[in-house]
Structures are given as structure tokens and as C-alpha cells.
Amino acid sequence: MEAATKVQVASWPPGSFDSSADRVTNPTSIPSSFSAYGEPYSWSGREALGPFSGLSSLNNNVHAANSDTTQLAAAASWLFGMEPETYLGILLRGAPDGPLRYDPAGQRRPSEVLNAADPTPGAPGLNSYAVLPTYPATNYMTDNGLFASVPGEAANHANNAMSAFQNLLRPPQVGADPERVRQGRAVFERAGCAGCHSGPALTNHRVIPAADIGTEPTRAKAGAKMEARLAAPGMFATDTPFPLPTDPKLVPLPIPEDKLPQLLLAWGQGGTEGGYKVPNLVGLAWSAPYLHDSGVAVGPDAQKDLGLPGTLEKGVSPDPANSLRALIDRRIRDRIVAANEGSEKARTARATGKGHGYWADEPAGFTEADQRVLITYLLSIDRLTEDLPTP
Ligand code: HEC
């Protein structure tokens, strides 16, 4: 099993990771850290509730769910169809030699090994958490009812502090020729891009059904099984001390009725197949390869360095301009998709580079000169479109 797992993990394109608890290998590119006005957060857009319009929810899930696989034991029955002890046994058998290593021939059950070595005894998992009474049920603010918290600070404080910091981050200035940028913006509008990529960070904050956007579909459903144990969205009041008092104040996070369909789509629940949110476009010069699956990648040699096998798999960094050209030109994109299909690693990672069929190419009535200024414009986006206060 360990050997089989390594094949899956080693398939992830560099700069991607998969911490979704769905037993499907479908890593996503590390999302943009230029987060201001980029809500809802994550590629699916499922982090949409609570402080900083969902950014604290994203930050919390990194530490309270993704980086602590031991906390998943409580949900193993409905997420993995597995006994919690079996799940923990698989996990801890591979722990580094030491107090957390489970020995199948030994006397102790996996949970006993974990409890004996746990730096936070009596609380779930290994990290330090404020625990909602609804743990381990998912609520749309936290995957499992846990909030990563530091003793001596308010519950969930570090996640909120990180959100405030992150919303201040701006990419380095690009310094493109303003006339070419203006021409490129006109092409962007003529090609219909601004229908979705609008607003201060060039996202309209919408989640688009996976079938409509046409990109790799499996990742959009990563949260589907969590529907089996849902609790009403809620969190601790932001001034709740940690460790928690005996009667901590809980704050419900009501979902406005008009927000519910988008939230269900983002989580792949409510009978939907899931979707991907319209990402913001700030800092594109720094975020190649493109799309959630990292599949749109072209290296410095636009003829030879095609797709993931032509770039990251052989240690070649994708070139932002060449990769963006492959995003908007279907003839180039077809070659990228074919190159990815020819790579066993990319197939294992489900990195296809398919979909998002919004073209600014010859069949759509655009010239190469149009493409060049459009790409100049896209790479020039190094700030919010208006001078706005930090959210
Ligand atoms: C119907 C809405 C919609 C339209 C129209 C649209 N986009 Fe997108 N765009 C999206 C979505 C959704 C994604 C994320 C898809 C995914 O990763 O699976 C995306 C992703 C992108 C990305 C990748 C961002 C990244 O960080 O990887 C770029 C660049 C982009 N779009 C530019 C454009 C351009 C240029 C146009 C016009 C030619 C355009 N988009 C038209 C919805 C749209």
C-alpha cells in the first residue's frame, strides 16, 4: 500500500498538492496568495463563510484538517468506508520510528499509540484545537469543527491574523507599456473575459458548474462525502479565550438563501457535480502553470516544452507568456492536452489542461497581434483595478 501511495503522491506536479479527503488523486495548484477581493476561496470556492469572507476558513482548514491527518480518524467511516482504528493503523504504521509508530505485532491499538504520544491529550488530532461541540461534523466554515488555536491567544486568532496579512500582499510591479496594456484590456473585453473576470481583483466571485467550465471535473466533487455529517455553520466568538472556557460563546453563521445554491455547488453537494470558482487574476506573472490542475504549461521553447511532461516533469519552469497563449489559443491548447495525455504522471494526477474554452484565437476572429497585447495586459495585472481599502 505504501508503494502504491508513493506513486500517487509523486505524480503531483511541483507546486501542487492534494489534501482533500476523497481518496481521489487530483492535486490543485497552490492557490493565489494575492487574496484581497478574491472570495470565495480555494479553487472550488467552498470557503465562503466567516471572517474575511472565507479566507480564515481556508487558513484554518490548512492547519485544522489538511496538515493533521490523524484528526480524520473520527470521519473515516463515512469518508473512507473504513474503521477508525484501521485508518489510524495504516497511518501510524508509516510514522517515523519513535513514539507515534504503530507496530501491528505489538500490544497497543493504533488509537492507544496516538493517545500516548499526543501533545494535546484529550483533544482530537495532534495539533492544538478549539473544538466545536459538533466535532467531527463538517460545517461550511470548518471541515471538521476544529479551529487551530494557540494557548494564550483567542480561539482561531492566528488564522484571522494570517488573513489580514495576506490581504495586504501585492505582487511585484510589472511595469508594462500603458498603451499596449490598454489595447490588451480592449481585447479582454471583446473576447468576453470580463463577463466572469470582473471586479477589483478580476473575479465576479461566482462558482461555475464543472460541466460548464469544462476543466478536469473530479476535484470539484472533493467535498461531496462530507454531506453525510453536516452541522449548521458556526464558529467561536472572535474574543473567546483559548483554552476554551467551560461555556464558550458560539456564533452561528447563517447562510443567506441566495448564497445557498453557490455554496452547495462549491462543496459538490445538494445533488450537484461541483464547480470551480472564477479565480482572481492578480499576479498571473507569478502563478504559471494555469488552471486548477496546473495542466496549462508551456516552457520557454513554445514548440518543444509542451504540457507538464515538457516543463515541470523535467525541471523546466513554465513560461507565463507562452502558457497564457496556450490558455487562449485552441490549436496550441490541443497540443498541450495531448502532451499531458501522453504522460503517465500527469494522467495519474488527473492533470489534463482541458476546458475553460474561452478563446482569443484565429477561429474566434483574433490576430496574433491581438493575442500579444492581451497577454501583455494579463501579465501586467499587479494590483487591484481600483484603489480600494484592504478588506
Ligand atoms: C464563464 C466564466 C469565465 C469566462 C468567460 C472566462 N473565465 Fe477565465 N476562469 C474561469 C474559471 C471558473 C477559471 C478556473 C477554472 C479551473 O481552474 O478549473 C478560470 C481560470 C482562468 C485563468 C487561470 C488562472 C490561474 O491562476 O490559473 C486565467 C488566466 C483566465 N481564466 C483568463 C481568462 C481569459 C483571458 C478569458 C477570456 C478569453 C477568460 N478567462 C474567460 C471563468 C471564466
Side-chain angles (χ1 to χ4, degrees):
M1 176 158 169
E2 188 154 342
T5 306
K6 280 177 177 158
V7 170
Q8 303 293 314
V9 174
S11 76
W12 300 357
S16 293
F17 72 109
D18 185 1
S19 56
S20 59
D22 62 352
R23 294 183 71 186
V24 181
T25 299
N26 43 23
T28 50
S29 179
I30 294 170
S32 171
S33 287
F34 307 119
S35 54
Y37 294 94
E39 74 274 13
Y41 293 100
S42 82
W43 285 97
S44 65
R46 70 186 209 190
E47 274 89 3
L49 295 181
F52 297 91
S53 306
L55 187 56
S56 292
S57 168
L58 178 77
N59 286 331
N60 180 55
N61 279 333
V62 172
H63 302 286
N66 305 350
S67 68
D68 183 354
T69 41
T70 60
Q71 56 73 29
L72 274 172
S77 58
W78 64 89
L79 292 182
F80 309 136
M82 217 181 257
E83 286 296 319
E85 290 290 350
T86 310
Y87 171 79
L88 270 183
I90 293 167
L91 199 65
L92 300 182
R93 237 184 122 154
D97 211 2
L100 271 172
R101 171 82 72 90
Y102 164 63
D103 174 7
Q107 299 300 312
R108 294 183 308 167
R109 293 163 68 77
S111 58
E112 290 168 340
V113 174
L114 179 67
N115 291 342
D118 188 349
T120 58
L126 289 168
N127 287 351
S128 170
Y129 303 124
V131 184
L132 283 179
T134 51
Y135 168 84
T138 295
N139 85 50
Y140 291 149
M141 156 101 203
T142 151
D143 276 14
N144 48 19
L146 304 177
F147 290 97
S149 303
V150 179
E153 294 178 351
N156 199 27
H157 172 79
N159 293 316
N160 288 327
M162 182 57 83
S163 302
F165 166 72
Q166 221 179 310
N167 275 345
L168 289 170
L169 295 176
R170 300 286 181 271
Q173 287 189 8
V174 177
D177 170 12
E179 177 51 24
R180 289 176 61 79
V181 169
R182 200 192 54 73
Q183 291 169 1
R185 171 71 205 189
V187 174
F188 185 79
E189 284 168 21
R190 185 152 63 89
C193 316
C196 291
H197 296 287
S198 60
L202 297 177
T203 167
N204 61 359
H205 315 291
R206 301 289 296 174
V207 179
I208 314 285
D212 293 358
I213 199 78
T215 50
E216 189 290 322
T218 68
R219 177 66 184 215
K221 290 189 285 198
K225 282 195 180 154
M226 293 183 180
E227 199 166 13
R229 296 288 163 93
L230 282 183
M235 55 181 273
F236 294 103
T238 48
D239 58 356
T240 306
F242 184 76
L244 296 176
T246 47
D247 194 14
K249 187 170 171 205
L250 300 175
V251 179
L253 297 166
I255 305 170
E257 210 167 298
D258 60 339
K259 245 190 167 181
L260 184 63
Q262 281 272 293
L263 212 48
L264 291 173
L265 188 59
W267 283 81
Q269 298 182 358
T272 75
E273 294 293 307
Y276 298 106
K277 77 135 199 196
V278 178
N280 79 45
L281 300 182
V282 178
L284 284 177
W286 307 92
S287 59
Y290 301 108
L291 296 184
H292 77 270
D293 65 359
S294 310
V296 181
V298 180
D301 185 333
Q303 292 310 315
K304 288 202 195 118
D305 306 336
L306 299 180
L308 290 166
T311 55
L312 291 171
E313 283 177 20
K314 57 175 194 186
V316 172
S317 291
D319 176 84
N322 289 344
S323 301
L324 283 174
R325 181 133 189 253
L327 186 79
I328 57 167
D329 189 314
R330 71 198 89 179
R331 288 156 309 178
I332 306 175
R333 187 88 79 79
D334 287 348
R335 297 175 64 203
I336 305 305
V337 171
N340 290 336
E341 273 166 2
S343 154
E344 195 179 333
K345 266 194 171 181
R347 284 198 309 274
T348 304
R350 293 181 171 77
T352 68
K354 280 187 189 157
H356 189 273
Y358 310 108
W359 311 111
D361 58 5
E362 199 188 286
F366 293 87
T367 63
E368 269 189 41
D370 291 334
Q371 289 186 338
R372 275 197 295 273
V373 289
L374 174 58
I375 291 165
T376 301
Y377 165 65
L378 291 170
L379 291 176
S380 78
I381 303 166
D382 58 9
R383 66 195 70 196
L384 300 169
T385 53
E386 301 158 48
D387 209 4
L388 290 157
T390 301

